[in-house]
Amino acid sequence: MGHVQKRFVSSAAKLASVTLSSLKSFPPKEAVAAGSSKSFSPEVWTALQPPPPSAFTALAHRIGLGNILEVKDLQQACTHPSILALHAKHTPSTPLPAVNGNLAVLGNSLLGLFASEFLNASYPHLPTRVLKAAVSGYVGQMTCASVARDIGAASLLRWNRMPPSPLRPAVMHYDALGSIPRALTALIYQQRSLPTARSFVHSFFLSRDIDIRSMIKFRDPKVNLVETVAKFGREKPVSRLLKETGRHSNSPVFIVGIYSGADKLGEGFGSSLRMAEYRAAEDSLQRLYLTRTPPELLQLPTSTFVGEQGDIFSMSEQGPYAPGDLGESEVLLGSAGRSSMKPPLTRREGVYAS
């Protein structure tokens, strides 16, 4: 076997969904023809081969949509628009395949809707910047690509790597792979209903664990806490030393708690009083902004949309819809140095007494 044939076989073997038994002729004539004037690229040939219908049927049943989506719909959902130029160049005599460009755009909007309402209802006090970061964490590009791998759709993707141009960015593998879950969400919405699409998103996206606490960083949590407590009309925060050990050693530990009146807002530890006070203020703010609505009391705006006709505000799956209260979600000062807001010019003295 020559070098070209070995490259061809190794490239074709990388696509687990394209079985040799499903191909009409393997290997193709141009791959083994001696003295052929036309160069043969096994990578291009492999990219142009459509996966067998049985692979899409298995995908539909694997994600619980075997009775909803047809094979042609799944083929379209797994075909990225970047394949069109490659297809038209090498097989101009065959019709262009249906691609998922429009479906991915619609699915991206639906994913943003479901994630935004879920996070806003679950964490009513979450700052706007953190809410945007959390939405990206749940339904962003890398998460969509990860979901596509989890459901076994990576081997069904048809795409072509494209370099950047003045009019469009480069098309990378994770870009094309992330379009599959978005297209699936749009297909479920079109062929079923909004609640069905929401159920799919909650099962495969919003059920994941995202560390939202690590997304909240304050430039000066002590000053932030003063402003936040005043906004709620509570007493000024006071820091108190709760415990300490090794004050005169080379490894002291201090535990500081912050109180507003008789209520303890948070606590923190550190090798110095200033560090412990900083962490206590940060913990107090995180306890506020990460206050979560109990799951049994959670109601989403899209839960009012059902498959029947009538008043959507009285036909909710969970009874009459009652919108939640808007929380105090804005941090008055910048966070983590990534905010456009400027830090305070002066520090407030005499607020924290030990």
Side-chain angles (χ1 to χ4, degrees):
M1 183 181 293
H3 175 68
V4 175
Q5 287 82 359
K6 290 182 179 179
R7 282 186 60 205
F8 166 71
V9 173
S10 62
S11 299
K14 294 179 181 178
L15 286 183
S17 62
V18 182
T19 58
L20 300 183
S21 60
S22 66
L23 301 178
K24 296 181 180 180
S25 59
F26 183 85
K29 296 179 180 180
E30 57 269 22
V32 296
S36 177
S37 59
K38 184 178 179 182
S39 61
F40 175 75
S41 173
E43 291 82 2
V44 173
W45 184 89
T46 305
L48 293 175
Q49 303 308 307
S54 59
F56 294 104
T57 303
L59 172 64
H61 287 278
R62 192 158 52 244
I63 60 179
L65 301 176
N67 298 327
I68 298 179
L69 301 180
E70 300 180 359
V71 172
K72 63 180 181 63
D73 298 326
L74 292 170
Q75 288 176 337
Q76 180 180 1
C78 296
T79 306
H80 192 263
S82 60
I83 198 67
L84 294 178
L86 187 69
H87 191 279
K89 178 180 178 181
H90 294 277
T91 56
S93 59
T94 58
L96 294 175
V99 296
N100 63 8
N102 292 334
L103 290 174
V105 173
L106 175 59
N108 186 50
S109 300
L110 290 171
L111 287 173
L113 167 65
F114 297 141
S116 298
E117 69 167 5
F118 172 75
L119 288 171
N120 187 61
S122 300
Y123 303 96
H125 300 289
L126 202 64
T128 303
R129 293 178 182 272
V130 183
L131 178 65
K132 293 180 180 179
V135 169
S136 299
Y138 273 106
V139 296
Q141 185 71 27
M142 300 305 297
T143 304
C144 289
S146 177
V147 170
R149 295 188 187 95
D150 293 343
I151 63 178
S155 60
L156 305 179
L157 174 65
R158 299 184 66 191
W159 75 293
N160 179 38
R161 189 184 303 274
M162 301 179 65
S165 69
L167 299 180
R168 56 167 175 75
V171 178
M172 308 302 291
H173 182 256
Y174 68 88
D175 294 321
L177 193 60
S179 66
I180 296 180
R182 293 171 176 169
L184 290 176
T185 303
L187 285 172
I188 298 172
Y189 167 71
Q190 286 183 338
Q191 300 192 13
R192 288 295 179 175
S193 62
L194 188 70
T196 307
R198 187 184 71 246
S199 177
F200 172 79
V201 174
H202 277 257
S203 298
F204 289 93
F205 288 89
L206 302 181
S207 60
R208 295 175 167 240
D209 291 330
I210 301 295
D211 186 12
I212 302 179
R213 178 179 291 267
S214 62
M215 301 179 183
I216 306 178
K217 296 295 182 181
F218 303 96
R219 178 177 298 157
D220 194 337
K222 295 166 64 176
V223 179
N224 279 128
L225 183 60
V226 172
E227 300 288 349
T228 303
V229 170
K231 185 166 56 176
F232 282 93
R234 302 290 297 275
E235 297 183 25
K236 292 182 179 181
V238 176
S239 62
R240 298 171 183 168
L241 180 61
L242 302 180
K243 294 180 182 179
E244 67 170 291
T245 181
R247 178 184 286 264
H248 301 292
S249 68
N250 60 353
S251 57
V253 177
F254 301 93
I255 300 179
V256 173
I258 293 184
Y259 292 80
S260 175
D263 298 328
K264 182 180 178 181
L265 303 180
E267 70 175 41
F269 71 95
S271 58
S272 65
L273 287 172
R274 177 172 295 183
M275 180 186 296
E277 190 179 38
Y278 182 96
R279 290 177 175 175
E282 194 173 44
D283 179 63
S284 302
L285 289 170
Q286 289 178 343
R287 288 173 182 268
L288 167 64
Y289 292 117
L290 293 178
T291 300
R292 185 165 187 175
T293 304
E296 63 273 10
L297 301 179
L298 186 65
Q299 276 195 319
L300 303 177
T302 56
S303 65
T304 60
F305 291 87
V306 293
E308 304 174 4
Q309 295 183 351
D311 183 8
I312 61 174
F313 294 103
S314 61
M315 296 177 60
S316 171
E317 299 173 353
Q318 305 171 0
Y321 175 70
D325 297 331
L326 294 178
E328 295 289 345
S329 61
E330 297 307 320
V331 182
L332 299 182
L333 304 178
S335 60
R338 294 187 293 268
S339 173
S340 59
M341 302 180 184
K342 296 182 180 180
L345 298 178
T346 59
R347 291 181 56 86
R348 298 194 176 191
E349 303 294 341
V351 176
Y352 293 86
S354 57

